[in-house]
Amino acid sequence: MSSLYFLGNNTSYISIPNAPALNFETQDFTVEWFQYEMDTNPYPRIFQKGTYSSSNISIGVSIEGGSFYYWRNNTPYLVANLASSDYKNKWVHFAICRTGGTTTFYMNGVSFGTPLADTYNYTNTENLLVANETTLSSNAAFGGYMYYFHYMKGVAKYTANFTASTSMVSNTANTVLLLTATGASGSLGATITSTAGTFAITPTLSSPAPPSPPAPSWFLPVLFGSRALFTDNNRFYYKPHSLASGGVGSVRNYRKKGRRT
């Protein structure tokens, strides 16, 4: 089974140019992804539309030293504090859904944190970045695997606790973007203009929880349409057992506060 693999630096990300479909406005929405995080960066962004230093974030998620932050209107909302064993070096499914003016957060199918009263009009002119923020930063880079990243507008896919399936999700009429190791699909799947992540082989996901992936021994380029998503300059080869282990690092926070505020 193949997954997206990100190097954990500012050369490894996926960028989707701004378009109306990326702006949820006041509609219901769902963002879900299956991740295996390995980086030790201080402010890794799973996804973000906007940049912290520019004060223009409409939506995003970061997990900073175990603190799961949901970013809305450039303000971080602390959903929950997680132990590194909860989310580092293991497969975890996350989902964020808004319905009826309330945004709920799910981890492995179970609501966590406190649902957020949310009538915010999600809109800005920034590109959507997966594994970084719109203005690239190594400190904000996510490093590790994503089985998929699914961005849906107009529907809350989950409205109560659910069983997080290890099966690949499918496109629906509400899918704006679905990123997998086989490429990009959804209404904006063909608009990707900047990609620098790599893709790697991982074991087949199985219930009840996906297994830990071994160090990939070779690089798998993924085709997008009739051309490869990645150029020769972005190829990255791995030796068996060469990946460093994950975990929250000891990087000193040189900003004013630990959550970049």
Side-chain angles (χ1 to χ4, degrees), residues 162-205:
F162 59 95
T163 299
S165 173
T166 57
S167 299
M168 177 57 68
V169 298
S170 301
N171 280 300
T172 73
N174 297 96
T175 297
V176 175
L177 184 70
L178 175 59
L179 296 173
T180 72
T182 58
S185 56
S187 62
L188 293 181
T191 68
I192 294 175
T193 60
S194 178
T195 57
T198 59
F199 292 73
I201 296 298
T202 59
T204 300
L205 303 179

Side-chain angles (χ1 to χ4, degrees), residues 7-20:
L7 302 177
N9 59 39
N10 64 1
T11 70
S12 188
Y13 59 89
I14 296 178
S15 178
I16 303 90
N18 182 55

Side-chain angles (χ1 to χ4, degrees), residues 57 70-77 261:
I57 301 170
Y70 176 64
W71 291 78
R72 180 190 65 171
N73 193 21
N74 209 57
T75 301
Y77 173 68
T261 60

Side-chain angles (χ1 to χ4, degrees), residues 18-36:
N18 182 55
L22 288 177
N23 292 312
F24 293 134
E25 300 167 318
T26 58
Q27 297 184 44
D28 292 349
F29 65 82
T30 300
V31 184
E32 65 173 332
W33 66 96
F34 229 136
Q35 70 169 54
Y36 187 104

